[in-house]
Amino acid sequence: MTNKIPVTVLSGYLGAGKTTILNYVLQNEQNLRVAVIVNDMSEINIDASLVEKGSGISRTEEKFVELSNGCICCTLREDLLIEVQKLAERGNIDYIVIESTGISEPIPVAQTFSYIDEELGIDLTASCTLDTMVTVVDANRFWTDFQSGESLLDRKEAVGELDERDVADLLIDQIEFCDVLILNKCDLITEEQLERLEKVLRTLQPEAKFIRTTYGKINPQEILNTRSFDFNRVSQSAGWLKELETGYENHTPETEEYGISSFTYTRTIPFHPKRFKEWAENIPIEIVRSKGFIWSARHNDIAILFSQAGSAVNISPLSYWVAALPKEQQQQIFIQYPEVRGSWDPEFGDRKTQLVIIGIDLPKDEITKQLDACLLTDEEFDKEWRTFETPFDWKLR
Ligand SMILES: Nc1nc2c(ncn2[C@@H]2O[C@H](COP(=O)(O)OP(=O)(O)OP(=O)(O)O)[C@@H](O)[C@H]2O)c(=O)[nH]1
């Protein structure tokens, strides 16, 4: 069996310190021949002399594709595939490091290494293995960026007019999908601020290894050849998902001294969509992150995904409730996922709201009361739900 080339991907918002870290790693890694791919729209500022002889720097252009469901997904798939393939064929390298642009989401990059691309006929899984997904967080700017309420377009950092992503969403995507999280620029905040930030990030990302750095000074072994990446595990590593799966007993008590906490709001009565949307538009400031599935009376067949990071809120249809599917399909799902049957309601099946709420000094009772006020009243419950006004502009087929 040929040895596969391990690949490290560096993600992190613009200016977080990715290039600084990369330069430091290249300077201090004596024994590996490292090739670097810079997926950057700005000028290369990697010190080329640091890249080992016999390897090199490749450069890819950011690509955006509009997916058929209308959402925009940042992908560098094609260019990246070709560049990595070229490096792999050339041989003579021990390691590949990819520096993503500050506005790219890590999942499409990781997927590049997990699938065979039929169209281009490239199979990176044969020559490379994704070794470590690193996310770099700017310890000094995190709260400013996260709470800015700005989109990439507002900051003129978007790839095009159709790129509607919020800065907070991007930060949360990067934090929730990594196996090493580097908190850089630790020199710019106090130890107490740092500890508090670390605890919040730990709640958002309970599994990754956390490393503090100043000017990217890191032991290269922490991010090269760690063999830590596993697509399924990292996809499941987000704090909200852990909370949803394992509930309250999973909580780390040490976070409570900083007032950081989380809880799951579960109800088997649907929301009135208009009242829920109003709540979402005025989300309590103590909530840092919330995500989960919503049951809306007006959209009774569809599980709705709710995802909030800072002031960025996204509410979108996800899939049919199992209860809305034909009986035959339901039976197949019960066989494949017996747990679905476990919490099956005789009348409403799997329909329910499950929302994980993570925050600082959360007024849990007050938030619960506010959400309960969005549920259908007894009188509304007896009405025709389809006649309720919908506040959402997405179209359902
Ligand atoms: N004070 C301080 N400044 C830092 C630190 N690390 C990096 N910087 C500075 O922060 C700025 C941005 O660093 P880069 O390494 O270019 O950040 P980047 O993530 O590669 O940026 P993009 O390529 O734009 O996404 C530079 O001026 C660095 O010198 C740090 O730990 N402390």
Side-chain angles (χ1 to χ4, degrees):
M1 199 188 83
T2 53
N3 280 340
K4 294 186 185 181
I5 306 169
V7 179
T8 288
V9 176
L10 281 177
S11 301
Y13 191 56
L14 298 161
K18 299 178 292 298
T19 309
T20 309
I21 291 168
L22 189 49
N23 279 336
Y24 185 83
V25 167
L26 293 172
Q27 227 163 4
N28 289 278
E29 175 46 66
Q30 314 292 337
N31 304 318
L32 288 177
R33 285 164 303 174
V34 182
V36 177
I37 294 179
V38 188
N39 169 231
D40 203 338
M41 289 178 297
S42 58
E43 285 303 306
I44 289 187
N45 52 357
I46 300 233
D47 184 347
S49 67
L50 296 175
V51 179
E52 291 274 329
K53 227 173 146 205
S55 50
I57 294 180
S58 301
R59 193 176 157 85
T60 60
E61 288 276 310
E62 183 81 2
K63 274 212 167 171
F64 260 68
V65 288
E66 195 172 355
L67 297 180
S68 52
N69 64 4
C71 87
I72 295 185
C73 175
C74 167
T75 175
L76 41 119
R77 207 177 142 73
E78 190 180 318
D79 290 2
L80 191 58
L81 273 164
I82 294 168
E83 288 303 325
V84 176
Q85 173 83 346
K86 271 198 240 161
L87 284 171
E89 276 171 3
R90 208 177 64 189
N92 201 27
I93 45 171
D94 300 316
Y95 212 92
I96 297 173
V97 181
I98 297 167
E99 182 190 340
S100 307
T101 72
I103 53 160
S104 67
E105 291 151 27
I107 293 179
V109 184
Q111 284 171 335
T112 308
F113 294 90
S114 316
Y115 303 117
I116 300 168
D117 191 293
E118 307 283 353
E119 223 172 279
L120 293 171
I122 297 180
D123 176 12
L124 287 185
T125 61
S127 54
C128 300
T129 171
L130 189 50
D131 179 77
T132 318
M133 283 298 291
V134 182
T135 288
V136 185
V137 174
D138 182 334
N140 184 43
R141 281 201 57 93
F142 177 77
W143 287 115
T144 312
D145 287 335
F146 191 76
Q147 292 169 335
S148 67
E150 290 174 329
S151 66
L152 294 174
L153 264 180
D154 294 335
R155 292 185 169 194
K156 303 197 171 31
E157 291 166 358
V159 168
E161 288 294 309
L162 291 171
D163 180 4
E164 288 174 340
R165 293 173 301 159
D166 283 297
V167 175
D169 275 334
L170 183 61
L171 288 170
I172 212 87
D173 281 348
Q174 294 173 340
I175 289 163
E176 289 181 343
F177 193 88
C178 67
D179 45 26
V180 175
L181 189 146
I182 299 179
L183 258 176
N184 189 41
K185 306 200 185 181
C186 289
D187 54 317
L188 296 177
I189 61 173
T190 65
E191 175 63 25
E192 202 192 332
Q193 288 170 322
L194 192 54
E195 264 178 43
R196 192 178 159 96
L197 174 59
E198 222 165 32
K199 295 285 194 300
V200 173
L201 296 177
R202 181 48 84 201
T203 310
L204 298 173
Q205 171 47 272
E207 292 211 341
K209 179 169 187 184
F210 276 35
I211 300 168
R212 294 179 178 189
T213 56
T214 291
Y215 283 102
K217 294 193 181 67
I218 188 173
N219 176 353
Q221 287 174 6
E222 301 274 21
I223 60 167
L224 300 185
N225 235 344
T226 65
R227 297 197 178 93
S228 58
F229 185 77
D230 174 309
F231 198 96
N232 287 335
R233 190 178 49 75
V234 174
S235 308
Q236 305 286 316
S237 68
W240 74 272
L241 208 52
K242 294 262 164 252
E243 166 83 38
L244 200 61
E245 281 167 4
T246 52
Y248 194 77
E249 60 273 19
N250 192 36
H251 288 186
T252 42
E254 85 236 40
T255 56
E256 275 156 25
E257 73 182 277
Y258 289 90
I260 300 154
S261 64
S262 56
F263 69 97
T264 307
Y265 175 85
T266 306
R267 290 291 183 271
T268 49
I269 303 172
F271 281 130
H272 191 292
K274 193 155 172 276
R275 284 202 298 279
F276 177 72
K277 173 107 188 294
E278 276 162 14
W279 178 83
E281 281 168 350
N282 298 286
I283 210 142
I285 51 163
E286 296 89 350
I287 303 180
V288 173
R289 167 73 164 148
S290 56
K291 187 160 177 175
F293 311 102
I294 300 299
W295 178 18
S296 154
R298 171 67 177 77
H299 314 88
N300 192 33
D301 288 344
I302 307 283
I304 294 169
L305 183 67
F306 178 87
S307 176
Q308 165 263 340
S311 60
V313 175
N314 292 297
I315 306 173
S316 54
L318 180 69
S319 65
Y320 284 104
W321 293 112
V322 178
L325 296 173
K327 284 272 176 291
E328 264 170 46
Q329 251 172 294
Q330 285 183 11
Q331 290 310 321
Q332 283 169 3
I333 291 173
F334 291 153
I335 294 167
Q336 223 177 334
Y337 307 100
E339 67 276 10
V340 176
R341 204 165 216 165
S343 54
W344 195 258
D345 179 274
E347 192 175 353
F348 297 110
D350 57 333
R351 292 179 177 95
K352 64 158 95 87
T353 287
Q354 275 188 299
L355 190 57
V356 174
I357 295 173
I358 299 170
I360 304 172
D361 299 328
L362 280 179
K364 184 181 166 187
D365 293 344
E366 176 57 26
I367 292 171
T368 305
K369 223 163 80 184
Q370 290 174 4
L371 284 168
D372 281 348
C374 304
L375 300 172
L376 292 192
T377 59
D378 290 346
E379 197 187 324
E380 286 167 337
F381 197 89
D382 293 335
K383 284 192 176 149
E384 183 60 68
W385 298 353
R386 269 176 301 182
T387 62
F388 295 152
E389 186 189 336
T390 175
F392 304 118
D393 54 10
W394 22 263
K395 291 176 195 69
L396 297 175
R397 269 184 293 158

